[in-house]
């Protein structure tokens, strides 16, 4: 008597189980990401606060920044550790004072910490002062 081969049924059940698991896992992942706020950090070298509309300047010098502020959070009391771009950005992104940073590139940065908990991160840099740090 010939034995019946049930491998096709087993493979089908395993494949269907995997597909259902990944669909379910993706829904959980998407719902968890939806609960997290979007974070956009803009740093600009040599931009004066008193020339931005969101801080009360009367001329229309910053319409896009002003529109972004209307849909987000604006910090009005911000201070720098040092008035020099490179160490100031290092301090901002590592959370350490400029004189206590061990070495640029050796500290965990804000982007790395956010990425480790599931955020998608991106950096757009227009100056070698920060990029080569």
């Amino acid at each position: 008597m010939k034995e019946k081969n049930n491998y096709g049924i087993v493979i089908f059940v395993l494949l269907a189980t995997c597909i259902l698991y990944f669909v379910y896992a993706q829904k959980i992942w998407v719902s968890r990401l939806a609960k997290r706020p979007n974070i956009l950090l803009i740093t600009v070298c040599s931009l004066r606060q008193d020339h931005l509309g969101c801080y009360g300047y009367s001329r229309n010098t910053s319409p896009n920044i002003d529109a972004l502020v209307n849909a987000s959070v604006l910090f009005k009391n911000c201070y720098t550790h040092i008035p020099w771009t490179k160490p100031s950005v290092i301090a901002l992104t590592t959370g350490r004072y400029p004189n206590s940073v061990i070495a640029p590139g050796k500290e965990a940065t804000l982007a790395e910490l956010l990425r480790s908990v599931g955020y998608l991160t991106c950096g757009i840099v227009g100056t070698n002062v920060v990029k080569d740090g």
Side-chain angles (χ1 to χ4, degrees), residues 2-82:
K2 194 174 186 184
E3 287 188 32
K4 194 170 182 181
N5 187 344
N6 291 328
Y7 290 122
I9 294 171
V10 171
I11 290 173
F12 174 77
V13 169
L14 287 173
L15 184 59
T17 303
C18 288
I19 290 171
L20 289 173
Y21 170 77
F22 286 117
V23 168
Y24 177 72
Q26 182 182 16
K27 285 183 180 182
I28 290 174
W29 184 75
V30 168
S31 69
R32 286 182 182 167
L33 280 181
K35 294 177 184 174
R36 295 182 181 163
N38 291 323
I39 300 171
L40 178 62
L41 175 64
I42 300 174
T43 59
V44 181
C45 186
S46 302
L47 176 65
R48 291 177 40 172
Q49 172 187 350
D50 63 341
H51 279 83
L52 295 173
C54 57
Y55 288 106
Y57 192 56
S58 60
R59 293 177 55 197
N60 189 20
T61 57
S62 55
N64 294 321
I65 292 174
D66 300 339
L68 179 62
V69 166
N70 290 331
S72 58
V73 176
L74 174 67
F75 294 94
K76 293 192 176 186
N77 295 311
C78 300
Y79 304 94
T80 184
H81 299 294
I82 185 169

Side-chain angles (χ1 to χ4, degrees), residues 90-102:
I90 291 170
L92 179 68
T93 59
T94 62
R96 298 180 61 126
Y97 290 108
N99 62 347
S100 68
V101 173
I102 298 169

